[in-house]
Amino acid sequence: MSDRFSVGRDEGHLVIRDNERGGRAVIAFLPNDRKPDAPLNMASVCVKALNETTEKYRSRGRNTK
């Protein structure tokens, strides 16, 4: 199964996309001039946590049916 959330760009902003909602941007990160890699690092950490939580709830639902 593919990941539900992914990192992408939308109108020049770094965003987290919900791939189950047509790729809609759900979280946007503002640029950081002093630490340019910070938004991408933060988005990557968030996407990993969101996908792990989503998978946990999906597997919980499969085990109860």
Side-chain angles (χ1 to χ4, degrees), residues 27-57:
I27 301 171
F29 292 85
L30 297 174
N32 185 332
D33 294 333
R34 289 189 293 162
K35 296 181 180 178
D37 293 337
L40 179 58
N41 294 340
M42 181 65 76
S44 298
V45 168
C46 291
V47 163
K48 182 178 178 186
L50 286 166
N51 284 324
E52 287 173 354
T53 302
T54 300
E55 188 56 36
K56 180 175 74 172
Y57 282 100

